[in-house]
């Protein structure tokens, strides 16, 4: 596994690549020791920097994370969200045609290891409140405000 760290407005972003696909994107307060910089890592770094600069709204680098078929379905549905589109867990469950699975959907959302590119930060509580985010709620809020501002959809403060 190859690892690269980049600085961002949210601290360090840790990017892990395995078998020519990004398998994890996470946040840290300190950088990790960088490994070999592969073509996939270079692309991911470039695209994440463009995202943070407000110049990119969707990612093209290959991703692959292990998970159950159900988790893969949740993550795939998350990738269908438009840039700056914020939805509730209930709406996500309705889109997946599985309203009774809201808690399982939320759990799968929480197991996502490819933050930002699989936009689990775009899912909020039913009343629009911020709910758990492995990177910290302050990062989730920053990501949502960043996307709202870049998309030019009006208010820049959601919460």
């Amino acid at each position: 596994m190859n690892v690269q760290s980049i600085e961002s407005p949210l601290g360090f972003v840790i990017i892990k690549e395995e078998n020519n696909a990004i398998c994890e994107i996470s946040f840290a307060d300190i950088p990790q020791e960088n490994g070999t910089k592969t073509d996939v890592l270079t692309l991911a770094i470039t695209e994440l920097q463009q995202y943070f600069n407000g110049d990119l709204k969707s990612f093209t680098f290959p991703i692959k994370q292990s998970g159950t078929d159900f988790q893969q379905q949740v993550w795939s549905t998350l990738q269908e969200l438009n840039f700056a589109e914020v939805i509730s867990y209930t709406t996500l469950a309705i889109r997946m045609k599985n309203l009774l699975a809201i808690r399982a959907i939320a759990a799968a959302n929480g197991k996502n290891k490819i933050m930002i590119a699989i936009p689990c930060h775009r899912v909020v509580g039913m009343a629009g409140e911020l709910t758990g985010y492995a990177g910290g709620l302050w990062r989730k809020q920053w990501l949502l405000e960043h996307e709202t501002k870049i998309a030019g959809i009006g208010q820049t403060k959601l919460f």
Side-chain angles (χ1 to χ4, degrees), residues 115-126:
M115 295 181 176
I116 305 172
I118 298 180
C120 56
H121 62 277
R122 295 181 188 153
V123 183
V124 298
M126 187 64 169

Side-chain angles (χ1 to χ4, degrees), residues 47-94:
E47 289 188 357
L48 284 164
Q49 289 170 331
Q50 290 173 338
Y51 169 86
F52 285 118
N53 289 335
D55 300 325
L56 185 82
K57 295 180 181 178
S58 63
F59 300 96
T60 64
F61 55 82
I63 61 173
K64 183 171 174 74
Q65 67 178 319
S66 59
T68 67
D69 289 344
F70 181 77
Q71 290 169 331
Q72 298 290 341
Q73 183 184 9
V74 171
W75 300 330
S76 177
T77 304
L78 288 171
Q79 288 182 279
E80 295 170 5
L81 294 176
N82 294 319
F83 183 81
E85 179 182 5
V86 178
I87 65 171
S88 69
Y89 286 101
T90 301
T91 302
L92 184 57
I94 290 168

Side-chain angles (χ1 to χ4, degrees), residues 3-35:
V3 179
Q4 292 286 311
S5 301
I6 61 168
E7 288 190 65
S8 80
L10 301 173
F12 290 95
V13 177
I14 311 302
I15 309 159
K16 297 181 181 178
E17 177 263 339
E18 189 170 55
N19 297 325
N20 294 313
I22 300 302
C23 61
E24 185 176 334
I25 298 174
S26 59
F27 298 105
D29 293 326
I30 58 172
Q32 289 192 5
E33 191 169 319
N34 289 334

